[in-house]
Amino acid sequence: AGAPRGEETGPPTTTALRTNLPAALPSLIGRDDDLLALGALIDRHRGTHRLVTIAGAGGIGKTRLAQTLLQARTAAFVHGVCFVDLAPVTDPRQIADTIATALGVPTAVGDATEALTRTVAPLEILILLDNAEHLLDEVARIASHLLASAPGLQLLVTSQAPLKVADERIYRLGALALPDDEVDVEEALTFGAVALFVDRAQAADRRFALDAANVETVIDLCRRLDGLPLALEFAAARVPLLGVHRLATSLGERLRLLTAGSRGAPARQQTLRAALEWSHGLASPVEQVVFRRLGVLAGSSTLELVQQVVADDAIDAWAAVEALGGLVDRSLVSVSADEPPRYRLLDSPRVFARERLAAAGEFDTIAARHARAMRSLYESSCDSLIRSGTPAVAAFATMDADLDNAQAALQWAQTHDEQTAASLTMGIGTHLALTGSGMALPQHLTPADLPYERLPCGQVSLWSWSISRAMRAAAIPGGREWADRAIAHARAHGDVPALCVALASLADFLVAGSPEAARVF
């Protein structure tokens, strides 16, 4: 578009800057609140903070949201809006010419940025620089230069990471909404993730319908795909072939399964694996190491746990923090608003990270660190209950926050570290039994051959107490053997607080008229 390269022209006219958005944009599902919030952010900072970056994970829907916003704001700017796709640009030196081409003005000989600046300076326009994550430094430089010279310019950028320039306002785009509790079909469709999946599944097979027989499976599928629009679209395309129930049970192989991208989409959006590889490839070598090691974590984790798991002689604790910050910036790791914050990989990035960890030959080494860290946390929490005067609510809250991590560590330890597996079995069982959080029947959590002899007396005593209380509540006979073991263990080590708890657990078994009541100790 525009005059031949090198030809001098004046600024384009208003009519020359008509919108270059696609004539028909795909429907935007589940993003009404984001569209309103983003529009309000741009309107509020118009004329002051004129750079807004939509940051989010690959496939989260940044482009579609930004294009819809541009379409709604076309008439709000004297010279319209302009969409600039940076995804195909591989050489940072081509960015200014790419913007000029999108604007419909000639590219320049010499300093392309200066020529572009002269063109944009008198305009009142909203420009979207889409897919900037692989060109951050140069996009940041050009954006700063343009904003300094063009008071009527408003820039909207989509990127997996912020530009980190002065006056940038960041809009973090999260996953599509999912129901927290069981809901019926009508209510399920009010959540963005379910609505998008159903819409795309019906596009692939008009016979598909969300109904009472499949709604729970669809919600679970959407949740396991993190509410990520790209993954949901890939999954929906597989519905005609597999059906939703087989699709849900096959998600363990999601990196092989979710490959049905649109033929018109960029290569990085043709498969779920390609999307993850694109994001991973933009991280630094140290960030890539930290990312793959985070694959052993489950649920959310504290900074201290992250450091325990990923740091070693080559990456110290503070280098790990720096790398973690980079991964958060690049939307590969999410961070909660809690105080202190907690960090997590979503399910699909975690699958990819575990695959990379195994390929690097590090899986068992890192999993062992993770298991030891969780064993230490649960043992110290149990110890604090009987020895340090820690309120039960506080001790159990600590355990509960890392329950997913503890269960993942237990799964690994059961085949690699018998003593750690025994400790985690006791710690998790005690926590669930004493908090009433849905522990399985005690006989399923009380293997007779647990090697308890080298475990802390306090943990063994609490374990015995949790068994006694759970068995009494379920009216299940037996179990006194663990009380006897806990008493003997505490006495052998001279541990008075643990002995008191063990005796209390025995007392729970001594119900009048029971066989245990006739025994002496």
Side-chain angles (χ1 to χ4, degrees), residues 3 73 78 99 108 125 129 194 268 291 300 389 391 446 451 470 488 510 514:
R73 288 295 189 279
V78 173
I99 298 172
I125 188 170
L129 303 180
V194 178
R268 70 181 188 282
F291 171 76
S300 66
T446 56
L510 301 183
S514 70

Side-chain angles (χ1 to χ4, degrees), residues 312-493:
D312 57 16
D313 292 340
I315 302 174
D316 66 26
W318 290 110
V321 171
E322 186 70 21
L324 181 65
L327 294 171
V328 170
D329 281 345
R330 293 192 174 281
S331 306
L332 283 168
V333 173
S334 65
V335 56
S336 74
D338 300 324
E339 182 56 48
R342 295 181 66 89
Y343 305 85
R344 65 171 295 179
L345 290 179
L346 299 180
D347 282 355
S348 294
R350 182 172 182 256
V351 170
F352 182 71
R354 290 170 72 86
E355 182 181 273
R356 304 287 296 192
L357 189 62
E362 289 188 321
F363 194 95
D364 285 341
T365 299
I366 303 304
R369 291 184 199 168
H370 179 230
R372 288 193 298 269
M374 296 317 303
R375 173 181 175 177
S376 176
L377 185 146
Y378 269 67
E379 287 182 359
S380 63
S381 294
C382 287
D383 191 70
S384 71
L385 272 171
I386 68 168
R387 217 177 305 281
S388 304
T390 301
V393 171
F396 288 133
T398 298
M399 294 183 186
D400 195 58
D402 276 295
L403 181 58
D404 288 338
N405 272 308
Q407 291 174 327
L410 173 59
Q411 185 176 12
W412 177 87
Q414 284 172 332
T415 55
H416 294 85
D417 186 339
E418 182 184 45
Q419 202 68 30
T420 296
S423 174
L424 287 170
T425 296
M426 289 186 175
I428 294 170
T430 295
H431 165 228
L432 294 181
L434 296 184
T435 58
S437 302
M439 187 180 83
L441 287 176
Q443 61 263 37
H444 295 158
L445 285 176
T446 56
D449 58 349
L450 275 180
Y452 67 91
E453 294 84 357
R454 286 183 284 138
L455 295 180
C457 295
Q459 186 178 32
V460 176
S461 294
L462 278 171
W463 166 249
S464 171
W465 193 26
S466 69
I467 291 172
S468 68
R469 296 189 65 182
M471 283 188 165
R472 282 194 62 190
I476 297 173
R480 175 173 169 172
E481 290 77 9
W482 270 106
D484 293 337
R485 291 173 188 172
I487 291 168
H489 193 41
R491 282 176 170 163
H493 289 80

Side-chain angles (χ1 to χ4, degrees), residues 85-96:
D85 184 9
L86 297 179
V89 179
T90 56
D91 185 347
R93 294 171 297 182
Q94 298 173 344
I95 295 174

Side-chain angles (χ1 to χ4, degrees), residues 23 27 34 53 87 101 118 123 125 139 179 195 243 265 275 281 290 296 301 308 314 325 360 362 402 411 470 476:
S27 56
D34 288 303
T53 297
T101 299
R118 289 193 297 272
L123 303 180
I125 188 170
V139 170
V290 170
V296 302
S301 305
Q308 286 176 285
E362 289 188 321
D402 276 295
Q411 185 176 12
I476 297 173

Side-chain angles (χ1 to χ4, degrees), residues 34 37-42 44-45 49-57 60 62 65 136 140 147 154-174 325-326 328-331 335:
D34 288 303
L38 182 61
L41 181 64
I42 287 179
R44 183 165 63 251
H45 294 295
H49 305 293
R50 294 176 287 118
L51 169 61
V52 174
T53 297
I54 306 174
I60 201 74
K62 301 182 293 295
L65 174 64
L136 288 176
L147 289 169
Q154 181 86 38
L155 280 182
L156 182 62
V157 176
T158 70
S159 174
Q160 292 181 20
L163 298 185
K164 293 190 174 181
V165 299
D167 294 329
E168 178 184 26
R169 288 293 179 269
I170 300 168
Y171 188 86
R172 285 272 178 194
L173 187 60
V328 170
D329 281 345
R330 293 192 174 281
S331 306
V335 56

Side-chain angles (χ1 to χ4, degrees), residues 215-376:
V215 63
E216 288 186 18
T217 302
V218 168
I219 291 171
D220 178 64
L221 192 152
C222 292
R223 184 173 291 115
R224 292 172 62 195
L225 292 175
D226 309 313
L228 185 76
L230 184 66
L232 293 172
E233 292 185 2
F234 288 157
R238 290 299 194 194
V239 168
L241 178 66
L242 300 176
V244 292
H245 296 287
R246 178 62 184 276
L247 177 63
T249 60
S250 301
L251 283 186
E253 296 292 333
R254 68 185 69 192
L255 297 183
R256 298 176 63 186
L257 175 68
L258 303 183
T259 58
S262 167
R263 286 192 177 89
R268 70 181 188 282
Q269 293 185 352
Q270 291 287 342
T271 69
L272 181 59
R273 179 183 295 280
L276 290 167
E277 286 177 341
W278 167 261
S279 301
H280 178 264
L282 296 174
S284 72
V286 174
E287 289 170 351
Q288 291 181 4
V289 172
V290 170
F291 171 76
R292 70 178 183 241
R293 291 178 179 178
L294 292 175
V296 302
L297 302 177
S300 66
S301 305
T302 62
L303 178 59
E304 290 74 19
L305 179 58
V306 169
Q307 289 174 310
Q308 286 176 285
V309 168
V310 307
D312 57 16
D313 292 340
I315 302 174
D316 66 26
W318 290 110
V321 171
E322 186 70 21
L324 181 65
L327 294 171
V328 170
D329 281 345
R330 293 192 174 281
S331 306
L332 283 168
V333 173
S334 65
V335 56
S336 74
D338 300 324
E339 182 56 48
R342 295 181 66 89
Y343 305 85
R344 65 171 295 179
L345 290 179
L346 299 180
D347 282 355
S348 294
R350 182 172 182 256
V351 170
F352 182 71
R354 290 170 72 86
E355 182 181 273
R356 304 287 296 192
L357 189 62
E362 289 188 321
F363 194 95
D364 285 341
T365 299
I366 303 304
R369 291 184 199 168
H370 179 230
R372 288 193 298 269
M374 296 317 303
R375 173 181 175 177
S376 176

